Amino acid sequence: MTMVRTCPECADKVSPGDAFCESCGRSLPPEVREARAEPHPDSVPTAPQESLASFAVRPGLVPSEGAPTSPQVSLYGADRSAPPPPPGSAAAPRRGPDAFTTQSLRRDSVPTVPDGAWPPPSGSTPVQPGGGPCAWCPGRVADGYCGECGLLQPTGRDHVELRTATAAGVSDRGLRHRRNEDAMALRVVPADSPHAPGTVCAVVCDGVSSSPRSDDASRITAEAGAAVLVEQMSRGVDAREATGMAMTRAAEAVAAIADSPSSAPACTFVSAVADPAGGTVTIGWVGDSRAYWLAGGPSASASSLLTRDDSWSEAMVQMGAMTREEAMRSANAHALVAWMGADSGEIDAHISTVRPTGPGAVVLCSDGLWNYYPEAQAMADAVPGAGARPLEAARAYVDLAVQAGGKDNITVVVIPVPDGGARAGSS
């Protein structure tokens, strides 16, 4: 027999394993969340990749409140001959120092950056036109590569730290890659804004290594997405609608830099909008970069994974063709089935809103971290109390991934969520 679970707040149906109600975002009590029943014979077996919401999203579905859940954007044939958006517009990438605040550089070297590219962190020395000495050998650099050893030179993105008054992020090249193809953007709605003051808007993107200029793809996508999020939230737009618009604009921005659909930079995308007044967190994603809720105490909602990967392995698990262990052992485990880029076709963007009971933290990360800590509780245990000191927590996560092997680029954004128990229980 199949047990029907309902939210005690709004009486809407919830799925087994959900920690939050998708309709009202309320935290589900343990007796509802942990209830067990025999599976329906027609159900698709899934492995325990715990989620806070149902992911049976239909393309084009628009809920009654009018917020898009699946903004589908066709990136094929994007007009790359059109002039770039004017500086300061929502779709224009931010390139000045006001786009972010860098707190430190890579600890073992002084990074450099080609002239006119990603803004170098404070204290770095840009590569001058015409080249300079190689960071790896006595050779000289031209066009970002050494003419002697042929290696790509380190840039200002090798180790980047972002910090605001309420959230922080760290991105690192890791130990195996010659450049950092991850990117992040972190913005906060000004405290004097008439709408959503103090709301944190964050984006993490992971460049698809098999695509050209994947580092540019992640940077442009992250910057465009965060700019739209903070702009829309400042105007009083609903967080779900703002997330849908941000993903649409970000997808268009990365598609516009492609030389052709067959040579298209690509990346993943995950964003968070954390509203301190409403106590809600809205997540948007395409690809396999993840968002986690990490409980900061016994009174908080249980630590949970907030996203479900758009990957071959996850698709195999959802179809019941493989167990998660079998799928993850495959050489195709991390192959993406959805991404942002001019060759992605129509993007089925996922959006979910939850209302966690704090204290705790929302963590956005690339697979350079979650490969080592895939389960939410393991990630919470690795750095206890991450929300109390977000910058130190982000640094700790990066250090743990490096110590575990650093096989990929690592990016982590930590957004503290204060104790929202009273707020989450109110109507």
Side-chain angles (χ1 to χ4, degrees):
M1 181 179 72
T2 301
M3 181 184 297
V4 177
R5 297 170 177 82
T6 59
C7 172
E9 293 289 338
C10 67
D12 198 10
K13 184 178 178 180
V14 296
S15 299
D18 283 0
F20 291 81
C21 172
E22 183 182 15
S23 296
C24 68
R26 305 287 186 180
S27 177
L28 298 175
E31 59 269 21
V32 175
R33 183 171 64 245
E34 298 172 4
R36 295 289 183 266
E38 292 298 321
H40 190 280
D42 294 334
S43 64
V44 177
T46 61
Q49 184 177 4
E50 187 174 314
S51 165
L52 297 194
S54 169
F55 289 85
V57 179
R58 297 187 299 276
L61 177 66
V62 178
S64 57
E65 66 268 22
T69 58
S70 296
Q72 290 197 333
V73 184
S74 178
L75 302 185
Y76 184 85
D79 184 7
R80 285 168 289 280
S81 63
S89 66
R94 298 287 298 267
R95 287 183 174 270
D98 59 333
F100 51 80
T101 302
T102 300
Q103 299 301 326
S104 70
L105 309 181
R106 187 170 183 82
R107 299 158 200 169
D108 57 356
S109 65
V110 176
T112 58
V113 60
D115 184 56
W118 174 270
S122 175
S124 64
T125 304
V127 173
Q128 299 301 318
C134 175
W136 315 107
C137 77
R140 303 290 295 181
V141 175
D143 297 326
Y145 289 84
C146 176
E148 185 71 23
C149 66
L151 293 178
L152 181 69
Q153 299 302 291
T155 73
R157 292 175 62 175
D158 282 3
H159 184 89
V160 178
E161 298 188 355
L162 314 183
R163 179 169 58 187
T164 71
T166 54
V170 176
S171 184
D172 192 271
R173 176 170 56 87
L175 300 178
R176 305 293 183 87
H177 289 264
R178 288 296 183 182
R179 63 178 178 179
N180 189 357
E181 297 174 346
D182 285 1
M184 59 183 174
L186 183 59
R187 306 282 294 279
V188 180
V189 177
D192 59 355
S193 172
H195 303 288
T199 294
V200 178
C201 302
V203 178
V204 166
C205 296
D206 183 353
V208 177
S209 297
S210 59
S211 71
R213 298 166 56 201
S214 55
D215 53 341
D216 286 338
S218 61
R219 174 181 59 83
I220 288 171
T221 305
E223 291 176 355
V228 174
L229 281 175
V230 76
E231 177 187 72
Q232 294 300 306
M233 294 302 296
S234 299
R235 292 180 177 179
V237 175
D238 175 80
R240 292 174 67 90
E241 185 176 350
T243 299
M245 184 174 295
M247 298 177 77
T248 298
R249 297 280 186 85
E252 293 170 347
V254 69
I257 69 172
D259 295 328
S260 68
S262 61
S263 180
C267 65
T268 66
F269 179 103
V270 63
S271 67
V273 176
D275 178 8
T280 59
V281 179
T282 297
I283 304 295
W285 76 97
V286 171
D288 66 351
S289 291
R290 290 183 174 183
Y292 290 85
W293 162 255
L294 304 185
S299 64
S301 304
S303 298
S304 302
L305 175 61
L306 303 180
T307 55
R308 177 166 292 174
D309 302 340
D310 288 319
S311 65
W312 178 90
S313 57
E314 185 63 25
M316 292 298 101
V317 171
Q318 294 305 310
M319 290 190 297
M322 292 183 175
T323 65
R324 185 168 302 281
E325 292 72 21
E326 291 171 339
M328 292 306 295
R329 285 197 298 267
S330 169
N332 296 321
H334 286 275
L336 296 175
V337 297
W339 59 90
M340 285 191 176
D343 60 348
S344 66
E346 298 227 322
I347 290 180
D348 184 10
H350 314 287
I351 300 176
S352 177
T353 297
V354 299
R355 189 188 300 270
T357 299
V362 171
V363 171
L364 305 183
C365 64
S366 62
D367 60 354
L369 173 65
W370 70 252
N371 273 337
Y372 301 111
Y373 299 96
E375 302 300 327
Q377 191 57 54
M379 187 169 289
D381 292 341
V383 183
R389 295 182 300 275
L391 180 59
E392 289 78 1
R395 287 171 173 169
Y397 277 124
V398 168
D399 287 344
L400 287 171
V402 169
Q403 293 166 14
K407 295 182 179 180
D408 204 346
N409 306 142
I410 311 146
T411 301
V412 187
V413 171
V414 179
I415 306 172
V417 176
D419 190 348
R423 180 176 59 235
S426 62
S427 59

